[in-house]
Amino acid sequence: MNVSTPSASIPRHVAVIMDGNGRWAARRRRPRAIGHRAGARTVNLCIDFCLARGIGALTLFAFSSENWGRPEEEVGALMKLFVGALDREVDELHRRGVRLRFIGDRRRFSEAIRGRMAAAEARTADNTRLTLTVAASYGGRQDIAMAARSLAEDVAAGRLRPDEVDEAALGARVALADLPAPDLFIRTGGDLRISNFLLWQLAYTELWFTETLWPELGIEELEQALGAYASRERRFGLTGEQIANAQDAVPGEGHS
Ligand code: FPP
């Protein structure tokens, strides 16, 4: 109970499921890849929004571990889009003080994409305005399983005692462990689920959903999401009265 309450109104970390690109394209009788291309424009809008509003971390679910099972043509188009975005956008992101990182199983990407990811991370590593994390070939269960494996390896090697395996030890080994947990989760496209995104990290995150398809999301709706966030009372398992009495004491901060 020794950490401060997150700022009342502005989330420090926003996590987003960018859903609805395929439906956006289908409504226009266009290939799904065109929807993803339109979705990439909304990514830029979202980054601009976070920079303008002083949000320090943005995590985007760009490609799930399950998305590899989509039709080959769509996976290929998404890979082309990622390469193009990495080639085109990194200079500008760097100039604007964005630190770019990737989470997920990058062994499944081609050498060309892995190289670009590593180069973009190295180039932007010292930037501090916004940490932009792209979840690619990412799955929340896989994330937790890998953290559990890392703990098991340390126990087997005698570096850790079994009774040292606790929430803090596991939480330190999942993705994004160095960032505050997401304060606000946004999902576009109308589905009301988490879809194996940041399962551990979203434990106390405020959830916000919209029917709007990702390519059509605009600043007004992002403002609405922030407004909804600001109006919520975050109790972290405590009572409203306790929170009111101890504005500066919230348990589990960092992984709450
Ligand atoms: C989900 O919509 C979206 C994706 C699987 C891909 C998201 C990728 C982008 C927005 C492209 C650019 C990203 C970066 C980081 C450069 P869907 O295809 O499941 O839509 P549907 O539910 O309507 O079919």
Side-chain angles (χ1 to χ4, degrees):
M1 297 269 264
N2 60 351
V3 286
S4 63
T5 310
S7 155
S9 54
I10 296 289
R12 294 162 303 176
H13 184 176
V14 176
V16 184
I17 293 187
M18 313 180 285
D19 200 13
N21 295 345
R23 278 165 286 163
W24 184 89
R27 284 178 195 173
R28 287 160 178 76
R29 299 187 202 289
R30 305 297 307 277
R32 295 176 60 84
I34 299 292
H36 295 313
R37 218 188 292 162
R41 289 197 289 274
T42 313
V43 168
N44 283 329
L45 178 125
C46 215
I47 293 168
D48 289 347
F49 181 78
C50 289
L51 286 167
R53 300 304 304 261
I55 293 164
L58 172 65
T59 300
L60 301 173
F61 205 2
F63 195 81
S64 74
S65 31
E66 293 75 31
N67 286 154
W68 290 110
R70 289 195 175 193
E72 216 176 296
E73 189 187 330
E74 182 174 349
V75 173
L78 275 166
M79 295 304 134
K80 259 177 86 176
L81 195 61
F82 294 151
V83 170
L86 283 164
D87 287 345
R88 267 194 322 274
E89 309 288 348
V90 173
D91 277 352
E92 179 64 8
L93 291 174
H94 182 50
R95 197 187 62 72
R96 302 180 77 188
V98 177
R99 176 170 66 147
L100 180 59
R101 301 195 313 187
F102 299 89
I103 57 171
D105 182 5
R106 62 179 83 183
R107 290 170 307 180
R108 298 187 71 180
F109 289 104
S110 69
E111 189 66 48
I113 293 186
R114 289 206 306 266
R116 283 169 168 87
M117 286 174 166
E121 285 179 331
R123 174 117 194 267
T124 62
D126 295 331
N127 294 336
T128 54
R129 264 184 92 197
L130 171 67
T131 297
L132 171 62
T133 305
V134 176
S137 191
Y138 175 85
R141 288 179 176 174
Q142 165 192 276
D143 189 2
I144 295 169
M146 288 303 109
R149 180 188 292 183
S150 149
L151 289 171
E153 283 168 354
D154 278 0
V155 169
R159 292 188 290 267
L160 197 71
R161 292 193 318 268
D163 67 358
E164 289 174 324
V165 174
D166 57 13
E167 285 186 32
L170 198 139
R173 291 166 199 240
V174 293
L176 312 179
D178 59 332
L179 295 176
D183 296 308
L184 174 63
F185 163 94
I186 294 175
R187 181 177 187 144
T188 59
D191 286 329
L192 306 180
R193 51 180 174 256
I194 303 297
S195 298
N196 201 22
F197 194 30
L198 306 175
L199 297 180
W200 177 276
Q201 299 85 340
L202 293 176
Y204 282 100
T205 301
E206 294 298 325
L207 308 180
W208 191 84
F209 299 91
T210 174
E211 293 282 331
T212 302
L213 304 177
W214 177 252
E216 289 175 346
L217 188 76
I219 297 291
E220 308 72 31
E221 267 202 292
L222 287 169
E223 291 290 0
Q224 275 175 34
L226 286 200
Y229 172 78
S231 72
R232 305 240 183 120
E233 180 188 58
R234 303 187 76 192
R235 291 195 294 278
F236 300 91
L238 303 181
T239 67
E241 197 179 16
Q242 283 176 301
I243 294 294
N245 289 341
Q247 273 299 318
D248 289 333
V250 180
E253 177 54 21
H255 299 292
S256 55

